[in-house]
Amino acid sequence: TQLLEQSPQFLSIQEGENLTVYCNSSSVFSSLQWYRQEPGEGPVLLVTVVTGGEVKKLKRLTFQFGDARKDSSLHITAAQPGDTGLYLCAGRNSGNTPLVFGKGTRLSVIA
Amino acid sequence: DTAVSQTPKYLVTQMGNDKSIKCEQNLGHDTMYWYKQDSKKFLKIMFSYNNKELIINETVPNRFSPKSPDKAHLNLHINSLELGDSAVYFCASSPLADRGYTFGSGTRLTVV
C-alpha cells in the first residue's frame, strides 16, 4: 500500500501570508493530484502533475512535482480567507489503480 | 446540473439495519468509485468500477456490496450496519482511470 504523508496537518495563518504544504511518499507515482475540500462537500480537483520537476500555477497557487515523482508541494501566495479548506494530495502509481489520498492539510486563513 | 449526485445526503439508522446509497453521474465517465472518509478526514478507496465491471475491490467487509446497473450509476448497499460504519461515503467518477476525479457531495452515515 502506497502512503502519502502530508504536512503540516493543521495550519492557521493571517490573511496575506504565504504558505507551503507538502506531500511525501517513498513510492513513485505516475501522476499526482491536489484537491481542496470544503465542509459538507466532496473534494474538488485543483491540478494534476505528471512529469518529474513539473511546476503548475493556478492564480496564487503553485504546484510542484518532485524530480523523482515521489513528492509534491503546494505554495499559496498572499493567502485569503477563501483559501480556507482541507487540501488533499492523491497519487496513482500506474494504469487502472485508483487514487491513494494523503490525510490532508487543514488550512485556516484568518482575516 | 449536478455532475455526480448522491442520495441521501444524510442517513441515520440503527445497528443491524440494511441501507443503500445511490450515485449517478451525468458526465459520461467510464469509471466510478466509492470512497469512505473517516472522522479524521482520511479518504480510503472501497470500490472501483469501469464501465459496469468491478476492477478493484479493496479489503472491505463483505457486508458492503456495490451494484452498477449501467455505467452512469454505482450504488452501495450495506447489510447489518455496525457502529464503525459511521462515516462520510463519497462517490466519484473519472473519464479514464488516469484522470482527475469528480466527487459527489457525500453521504453522511450515522449508525446508532
Side-chain angles (χ1 to χ4, degrees):
Chain A
T1 302
Q2 302 163 320
L3 293 176
L4 281 164
E5 300 289 338
Q6 288 190 242
S7 61
Q9 190 177 356
F10 300 96
L11 187 56
S12 181
I13 62 170
Q14 294 290 325
E15 182 177 4
E17 292 183 356
N18 301 332
L19 67 113
T20 302
V21 298
Y22 300 92
C23 176
N24 295 294
S25 177
S26 58
S27 301
V28 176
F29 292 95
S30 62
S31 66
L32 196 139
Q33 299 172 359
W34 285 91
Y35 291 78
R36 185 172 78 194
Q37 185 179 15
E38 299 188 21
E41 297 296 328
V44 176
L45 179 67
L46 296 174
V47 77
T48 300
V49 286
V50 297
T51 305
E54 182 176 3
V55 176
K56 282 192 174 179
K57 293 195 175 189
L58 183 65
K59 297 183 180 179
R60 293 176 294 99
L61 278 60
T62 301
F63 305 85
Q64 184 163 7
F65 201 11
D67 291 341
R69 299 198 317 238
K70 294 182 178 181
D71 55 87
S72 181
S73 63
L74 159 60
H75 182 80
I76 302 179
T77 303
Q80 299 176 0
D83 296 326
T84 293
L86 178 68
Y87 288 82
L88 297 159
C89 68
R92 173 189 288 112
N93 65 346
S94 65
N96 288 333
T97 56
L99 285 175
V100 174
F101 281 81
K103 294 187 178 182
T105 292
R106 184 173 298 281
L107 172 65
S108 177
V109 182
I110 302 166
Chain B
D1 289 342
T2 304
V4 179
S5 60
Q6 294 179 229
T7 54
K9 176 77 171 174
Y10 300 95
L11 184 53
V12 181
T13 188
Q14 290 187 327
M15 285 176 55
N17 284 350
D18 302 339
K19 291 293 179 184
S20 292
I21 306 172
K22 295 186 176 182
C23 178
E24 176 182 3
Q25 55 98 0
N26 62 5
L27 298 167
H29 289 172
D30 284 329
T31 309
M32 296 184 72
Y33 312 85
W34 277 109
Y35 278 81
K36 179 181 179 180
Q37 189 171 47
D38 61 23
S39 58
K40 296 185 177 180
K41 304 300 183 185
F42 181 47
L43 271 165
K44 186 173 181 181
I45 182 70
M46 298 178 70
F47 300 103
S48 174
Y49 263 82
N50 181 264
N51 203 11
K52 298 195 295 178
E53 297 296 325
L54 177 67
I55 58 174
I56 298 286
N57 183 353
E58 293 299 307
T59 307
V60 299
N62 58 15
R63 298 181 294 103
F64 291 80
S65 54
K67 294 284 193 305
S68 183
D70 55 64
K71 80 171 193 176
H73 296 83
L74 181 61
N75 304 323
L76 183 64
H77 189 76
I78 315 169
N79 290 326
S80 303
L81 279 155
E82 301 178 357
L83 293 176
D85 298 331
S86 295
V88 181
Y89 292 84
F90 285 99
C91 176
S93 71
S94 65
L96 294 170
D98 62 348
R99 299 290 175 85
Y101 292 4
T102 301
F103 281 85
S105 58
T107 296
R108 181 174 293 277
L109 171 65
T110 303
V111 182
V112 298

